[in-house]
Amino acid sequence: MTSLSPPKETFLADYRVPDYLIDTVHLHFELGASDTHVRSVLSMRKNHQGLGGDCVLDGEHLELLSVKVDGQQLQGNEYQRTDKSLILSDLPDKFELEIETRIEPDKNTALEGLYHSGSLLCTQCEAEGFRRITYYLDRPDVMAVFTVSIVADKEQWPIMLANGNMEDQGQFDDGRHWTRWHDPHPKPSYLFALVAGDLYRQQDHFTTMSGREVSLQVYVDHENSHKCDHALTSLKQSMLWDEETYGREYDLDVFMIVAVNDFNMGAMENKGLNIFNSSCVLASPETATDADYHRIQGIVGHEYFHNWSGNRVTCRDWFQLSLKEGFTVLRDQQFSAAMNSEAVQRIDDVNQLRTMQFAEDAGPMAHPVRPASFIEISNFYTVTIYEKGAEVVGMIKTIVGDEGFRKGTDLYFDRHDGQAVTTDDFIKAIEDANDIALGQFKLWYSQAGTPELKLRGHYDVINHTYSLHVEQSCPQTPDELDKQAFHIPLAVGLLDEQGLPLLLQLEGEERAYKDFTRVLTLNESSQTFTFINIESEPVPSLLRGFSAPVKLDIPRSNTELEFLMANDSDSFNRWDAGQTLLINTLLALVNNVQLQQPLNIHKGLIEQFSTLLTSRKMDPALVAKMLTLPSENYLAAQMTVADVDAIHAARQFLKNSLARGLKQEFSDVYKQQNSTGKYQFNSDDMAKRSLKNLCLSYLVATDDPMQTQRCLKQMKQSDNMTDTISGLVALANQVGPEGEHALRAFYEQWKDDRLVVDKWLTVQAQSSLPDTLIRIKGLMKHPAFNIKNPNNVRALIGQFCRNNPINFHAKDGSGYQFLVEQIIILNKLNPQVASRMLGAFNSWRQYDASRQELMKKALNDIASQKDLSPDVYEVVTKYLAD
Ligand SMILES: [Zn+2]
């Protein structure tokens, strides 16, 4: 063994095909929490397209017991080892390689490979965890057929699962039992999974479109046996939806989901055996909110859809991660939109993209959807790869239309089934199926940064034409200074002064376009589109449905925004006009706070929101979205120098002003929407609860003691977590004894339910009250908190650092110092989680000089640590780079 080498960068340009291939894998596990024995038998051959030479197998944190080639045991001088690999030389064209290793699952706090969680043993192999189980060609373009046998003590591990179908099982005399699983579909090692433990199983079934009977099974801890229904319902919905929408059918006899309490990610799409963070599976009305139900439905869908977009057709290398993730996120967004409200889904997706991904694209970690290099691939499971990747695939769908997109995806799945491919292969299939060229479009995969569109309209009174001039540009990113013009689909409509849609006919066209929305093709840095037969000056509705992930620069008066907010037929743009109005108002208030001038808002705004609140025509969920103020983080991103204190003060002022100005309306709507029926998860009820609880949050801002009573009453009478937690959040952000009482009572009631306790941690982590950091430090010593559990870390530390700007960015730097201390601990325990937490410093250069100085010092403190993991090293180095 050699010592640890410094982190090394990997480049897409250096990709070459594997020198060896693996046809079949037989894995044999003798399980123990502290000592697991793994025997791997690989039937291997030289890849004639490769360069030949040594066979370099990946392996980390393994104790090597023996290596055999074609049955011959190799001596220590017949192979080489480093801390990351096992190297074999002088191999025949075809051979059988047998490797025995020993691993220690209970010492694995990184939660990659095989690890111990509660009373379970489970795996997480994406991206490079399989190499912590045995030596292997641990890369996605090596696909093999796996057979897995597991032996363990029956009492301790009564359930033993792996990918595929169970072939056989039996028992030994000594109290141990065994199972054997076979997955007929060749797969890369990152999709391998194994679970063992004492679990409750809930079953259902699904008949596929060709008549295959599939057993559906959800495995959870026994105490959670009443929380599986929603996941199973969501799974059946996903299976049916994917057949109807993409023509994709399931391909094994069983589909399993296992809930695990200690998990770095949300969930993992291992073939036939999905492993989920328990927070993304378990739901009951009393313990899960509407948002949880909605998220679970989307994630169950997402992982299920990967069976085709990811498993049957996988990625050639990790630079292609968005091939499976961008496409699958788009699929889960479509699915969630179909199951719930399409308009609300789009608003939520765009809101997340703008808040998180735009910040990433403007920061030191900016990278293209298909990155050109990485040090640690775990750092690239980002909002850019996932959410922007989904927008990119969504734009392709907009460009070729729904039918064309389906033709393209059908060809993609047919052509590449069983292969490991690239984003270029995906584009090629769409091009071939639609007979179009997307060469320029591919820049979306290789250029980082958020494009900006400068739009200027001009109405010609004499010729009755309206011309729209568009200039596109893209800011520099650390990887690239010069950007080429993108191919951008810009969906537009025009409204007359009554708010009615106008026919859209471009100069040179014989007749008007069939719809009131049309997609303009932007492909040059500067273009002008002229609409004819426009009788009076129109109001343009631009980037309808957020047709491209870009920023708009367009001068608009408040009157024009109010007009769009009231009249635009595109619900996304109605919401967006309202948000822009709020952002303009808030930024003006921020300015007044900074100049120490009196604060006020124009009356028109209150009237607008009053109309909105009392309108019975609109979906209550949409009304709630429109009345939700932009977050402090999003506002910070709109300023050249983010002023944390002024933003907080301005936002509080606006919230209080709206609350006081519309108190009666909020109170009336609260009563109207407060249904007394039993909890159900459906769009209508969810919409009502969202508007009701939004009203409650405003009512509490009036400082009327009656409203505190209303919160307490809501908590007391609630039969569901959505209403309970809304009451608790409102109380916990108030000064006074009620909040303390409510928090204490809530904990007493739920202390045995870890997912609910995570919510209790989050409510406190997000509190804007001034003593929050002291409270958090106290909570870290509370029995409810364990730093080895990623959900705990995200609920407390993550929420404080990312979603509590006023306290995290405290002037004295105490928030930064706190995060540094946690990252140093986590770097050793769980590098992936440590690196995620570091993300709170992403926008550090956007703050004032003294905060920048404090954050720079914090980053330097981390950078100067010895033994930094590659995960943390890569991010901290990029943050500090000039
Ligand atoms: Zn995924």
Side-chain angles (χ1 to χ4, degrees):
M1 297 275 265
T2 57
S3 65
L4 277 170
S5 37
K8 192 173 120 253
E9 198 162 2
T10 308
F11 295 89
L12 168 62
D14 293 343
Y15 173 83
R16 53 189 188 84
V17 298
D19 294 329
Y20 290 82
L21 297 171
I22 304 172
D23 292 316
T24 62
V25 183
H26 282 81
L27 289 172
H28 179 78
F29 287 84
E30 307 231 348
L31 288 183
S34 57
D35 188 342
T36 287
H37 191 275
V38 186
R39 188 174 73 239
S40 153
V41 181
L42 312 174
S43 93
M44 296 187 67
R45 62 189 155 93
K46 275 189 180 149
N47 181 3
H48 293 298
Q49 282 152 21
L51 298 176
D54 293 347
C55 178
V56 183
L57 298 143
D58 307 295
E60 289 172 19
H61 305 275
L62 300 172
E63 183 184 333
L64 180 63
L65 302 177
S66 85
V67 190
K68 286 180 193 165
V69 174
D70 288 328
Q72 289 290 315
Q73 176 106 26
L74 301 190
Q75 301 307 310
N77 58 1
E78 291 177 289
Y79 55 81
Q80 293 174 61
R81 274 180 86 196
T82 71
D83 57 329
K84 289 185 165 52
S85 57
L86 171 67
I87 304 161
L88 306 175
S89 314
D90 304 323
L91 293 161
D93 273 4
K94 268 185 102 157
F95 57 97
E96 186 186 88
L97 177 63
E98 182 178 328
I99 299 172
E100 289 188 49
T101 49
R102 198 182 76 90
I103 46 180
E104 297 173 312
D106 60 358
K107 292 205 179 134
N108 182 351
T109 58
L111 314 185
E112 294 174 83
L114 180 72
Y115 64 92
H116 203 203
S117 168
S119 63
L120 282 185
L121 277 174
C122 64
T123 54
Q124 170 57 32
C125 292
E126 186 179 359
E128 298 181 334
F130 192 73
R131 63 189 61 186
R132 288 167 171 254
I133 295 172
T134 182
Y135 287 99
Y136 198 78
L137 301 178
D138 191 14
R139 47 188 287 171
D141 56 354
V142 172
M143 298 171 86
V145 172
F146 280 66
T147 306
V148 178
S149 56
I150 312 168
V151 179
D153 179 74
K154 188 168 183 180
E155 206 175 284
Q156 199 179 357
W157 322 101
I159 303 269
M160 300 191 295
L161 312 172
N163 314 85
N165 301 317
M166 194 206 275
E167 278 192 334
D168 205 357
Q169 57 183 325
Q171 224 163 306
F172 297 113
D173 294 338
D174 59 0
R176 295 184 307 158
H177 67 151
W178 61 272
T179 55
R180 190 174 67 242
W181 294 78
H182 178 72
D183 178 5
H185 303 281
K187 65 169 176 286
S189 48
Y190 83 86
L191 290 172
F192 167 79
L194 179 152
V195 173
D198 185 1
L199 290 162
Y200 168 82
R201 173 173 65 199
Q202 184 160 325
Q203 297 201 67
D204 205 329
H205 60 90
F206 181 83
T207 310
T208 69
M209 58 188 180
S210 74
R212 179 195 279 270
E213 280 299 323
V214 184
S215 166
L216 311 179
Q217 307 175 355
V218 174
Y219 292 87
V220 300
D221 287 337
H222 289 276
E223 74 226 35
N224 294 318
S225 59
H226 59 294
K227 295 188 187 174
C228 304
D229 292 348
H230 180 59
L232 272 167
T233 305
S234 305
L235 179 57
K236 287 187 284 183
Q237 288 169 334
S238 310
M239 295 177 90
L240 185 62
W241 183 86
D242 209 19
E243 290 186 348
E244 288 173 348
T245 315
Y246 282 90
R248 299 295 114 198
E249 188 178 1
Y250 189 60
D251 52 11
L252 290 166
D253 302 334
V254 59
F255 187 92
M256 298 171 280
I257 292 176
V258 182
V260 173
N261 291 324
D262 303 277
F263 204 70
N264 282 344
M265 310 261 205
M268 178 62 210
E269 70 262 24
N270 316 299
K271 182 82 188 187
L273 177 56
N274 286 191
I275 298 180
F276 273 56
N277 189 319
S278 54
S279 69
C280 302
V281 188
L282 303 175
S284 70
E286 316 78 60
T287 60
T289 61
D290 286 336
D292 296 328
Y293 270 83
H294 186 257
R295 196 178 74 248
I296 290 167
Q297 185 183 46
I299 295 178
V300 168
H302 179 98
E303 306 309 331
Y304 173 74
F305 303 145
H306 267 315
N307 191 53
W308 276 93
S309 49
N311 300 3
R312 290 283 287 252
V313 183
T314 194
C315 304
R316 186 193 73 175
D317 54 73
W318 291 120
F319 298 100
Q320 319 296 329
L321 182 55
S322 197
L323 173 80
K324 74 177 179 79
E325 295 307 341
F327 184 23
T328 306
V329 170
L330 177 81
R331 275 149 62 67
D332 81 54
Q333 291 175 347
Q334 285 181 278
F335 166 65
S336 291
M339 297 296 122
N340 305 291
S341 155
E342 198 175 334
V344 171
Q345 183 69 34
R346 190 64 188 138
I347 290 167
D348 284 345
D349 292 338
V350 174
N351 213 4
Q352 189 194 359
L353 184 89
R354 279 183 179 162
T355 310
M356 317 252 309
Q357 200 280 326
F358 281 16
E360 184 166 272
D361 239 351
M365 274 293 283
H367 55 274
V369 170
R370 187 191 58 211
S373 74
F374 59 75
I375 287 176
E376 173 50 64
I377 183 58
S378 299
N379 284 330
F380 287 81
Y381 285 72
T382 59
V383 277
T384 298
I385 303 292
Y386 280 65
E387 271 71 24
K388 186 176 180 179
E391 292 299 322
V392 170
V393 182
M395 283 190 285
I396 297 176
K397 184 164 167 287
T398 302
I399 291 167
V400 300
D402 289 354
E403 257 177 65
F405 188 65
R406 173 66 194 269
K407 275 197 285 179
T409 58
D410 280 354
L411 180 62
Y412 167 71
F413 289 126
D414 284 352
R415 189 185 270 177
H416 297 297
D417 190 8
Q419 296 177 5
V421 301
T422 63
T423 53
D424 284 345
D425 294 318
F426 180 78
I427 299 280
K428 184 80 172 66
I430 306 275
E431 288 180 325
D432 290 353
N434 290 279
D435 200 19
I436 54 157
L438 291 168
Q440 185 185 7
F441 185 85
K442 288 205 276 189
L443 288 169
W444 282 106
Y445 285 96
S446 57
Q447 286 190 153
T450 306
E452 291 172 7
L453 301 184
K454 186 173 166 187
L455 297 139
R456 296 292 182 268
H458 172 72
Y459 182 63
D460 184 330
V461 199
I462 298 163
N463 295 311
H464 296 287
T465 61
Y466 177 77
S467 51
L468 185 64
H469 181 70
V470 192
E471 287 173 23
Q472 62 159 299
S473 62
C474 182
Q476 298 181 343
T477 48
D479 62 323
E480 198 178 31
L481 306 182
D482 281 332
K483 308 280 181 179
Q484 298 173 54
F486 288 90
H487 174 181
I488 300 171
L490 178 69
V492 301
L494 298 176
L495 306 179
D496 72 7
E497 59 239 339
Q498 268 86 51
L500 297 169
L502 291 169
L503 288 169
L504 304 171
Q505 185 174 3
L506 286 172
E507 213 169 42
E509 290 178 343
E510 283 186 13
R511 62 180 73 84
Y513 190 68
K514 58 183 170 39
D515 295 324
F516 292 119
T517 299
R518 70 182 289 174
V519 178
L520 305 176
T521 302
L522 309 185
N523 50 17
E524 293 167 39
S525 53
S526 167
Q527 281 164 284
T528 302
F529 300 88
T530 303
F531 295 91
I532 57 172
N533 301 329
I534 307 288
E535 293 311 315
S536 60
E537 178 153 17
V539 176
S541 165
L542 302 165
L543 199 71
R544 284 189 152 173
F546 199 70
S547 62
V550 298
K551 290 182 189 169
L552 297 187
D553 162 4
I554 175 160
R556 270 183 167 153
S557 65
N558 284 351
T559 320
E560 200 173 322
L561 289 167
E562 283 165 12
F563 176 83
L564 285 168
M565 190 176 151
N567 295 297
D568 202 326
S569 59
D570 185 83
S571 34
F572 175 80
N573 271 12
R574 286 182 76 168
W575 169 80
D576 199 35
Q579 288 289 298
T580 310
L581 196 59
L582 288 170
I583 290 167
N584 293 349
T585 306
L586 283 160
L587 292 178
L589 287 169
V590 166
N591 197 34
N592 283 359
V593 173
Q594 289 174 326
L595 299 171
Q596 296 183 325
Q597 285 178 356
L599 305 184
N600 46 56
I601 54 169
H602 74 123
K603 253 183 83 196
L605 192 71
I606 302 220
E607 280 161 20
Q608 279 292 320
F609 282 100
S610 169
T611 314
L612 197 66
L613 259 175
T614 46
S615 130
R616 303 259 175 136
K617 281 186 289 184
M618 239 168 121
D619 174 6
L622 212 53
V623 177
K625 291 287 166 205
M626 294 190 78
L627 280 160
T628 303
L629 301 183
S631 70
E632 292 180 22
N633 284 337
Y634 190 63
L635 289 166
Q638 311 309 310
M639 296 180 71
T640 321
V641 178
D643 185 335
V644 183
D645 305 291
I647 289 172
H648 186 73
R651 199 171 174 279
Q652 282 303 113
F653 175 80
L654 179 58
K655 181 143 195 184
N656 295 346
S657 307
L658 288 171
R660 277 195 297 273
L662 297 166
K663 189 174 172 190
Q664 194 55 49
E665 286 90 338
F666 281 125
S667 186
D668 292 347
V669 175
Y670 178 89
K671 285 180 205 148
Q672 271 164 30
Q673 305 292 338
N674 194 10
S675 96
T676 47
K678 196 166 167 281
Y679 177 90
Q680 281 189 318
F681 172 69
N682 60 46
S683 294
D684 285 352
D685 286 9
M686 235 182 353
K688 283 184 177 167
R689 282 188 291 271
S690 70
L691 183 53
K692 176 183 80 174
N693 286 315
L694 180 99
C695 291
L696 184 68
S697 77
Y698 274 104
L699 286 166
V700 171
T702 59
D703 287 334
D704 167 6
M706 287 292 291
Q707 307 306 333
T708 305
Q709 291 311 312
R710 200 192 290 251
C711 287
L712 290 167
K713 190 173 159 200
Q714 173 165 320
M715 286 184 75
K716 207 168 176 183
Q717 291 179 346
S718 157
D719 71 339
N720 67 79
M721 185 50 74
T722 308
D723 287 348
T724 308
I725 205 85
S726 300
L728 186 66
V729 168
L731 292 172
N733 278 284
Q734 268 189 329
V735 185
E738 290 86 358
E740 285 305 321
H741 287 158
L743 281 165
R744 214 170 302 141
F746 185 88
Y747 180 73
E748 271 313 306
Q749 186 177 356
W750 296 110
K751 61 184 174 201
D752 296 326
D753 189 311
R754 55 197 309 149
L755 295 179
V756 182
V757 170
D758 282 339
K759 294 184 197 304
W760 176 77
L761 294 173
T762 292
V763 170
Q764 297 174 83
Q766 291 182 345
S767 165
S768 57
L769 296 180
D771 63 347
T772 296
L773 182 57
I774 297 167
R775 179 184 281 270
I776 286 171
K777 288 181 176 170
L779 285 169
M780 292 193 55
K781 297 186 193 115
H782 193 282
F785 183 84
N786 176 358
I787 199 163
K788 288 183 184 166
N789 177 262
N791 286 357
N792 278 178
V793 173
R794 283 184 283 255
L796 190 64
I797 304 170
Q799 289 298 334
F800 173 74
C801 299
R802 290 206 184 239
N803 290 323
N804 195 342
I806 189 71
N807 280 312
F808 175 61
H809 292 288
K811 276 197 191 75
D812 61 0
S814 52
Y816 308 147
Q817 201 44 47
F818 167 73
L819 182 56
V820 169
E821 286 159 20
Q822 306 321 315
I823 286 174
I824 291 171
I825 298 168
L826 287 163
N827 173 61
K828 289 206 166 67
L829 288 174
N830 188 329
Q832 274 188 34
V833 171
S835 162
R836 292 270 151 165
M837 292 298 120
L838 195 46
F841 288 126
N842 175 67
S843 305
W844 71 276
R845 287 180 205 270
Q846 249 210 306
Y847 293 83
D848 54 84
S850 70
R851 283 187 173 93
Q852 276 198 37
E853 204 46 53
L854 290 164
M855 281 192 262
K856 189 174 179 181
K857 183 186 171 301
L859 288 167
N860 276 316
D861 286 350
I862 296 170
S864 65
Q865 292 293 310
K866 281 189 209 111
D867 301 333
L868 272 193
S869 60
D871 310 61
V872 172
Y873 171 87
E874 177 169 37
V875 176
V876 82
T877 314
K878 283 189 178 162
Y879 281 3
L880 284 167
D882 287 326

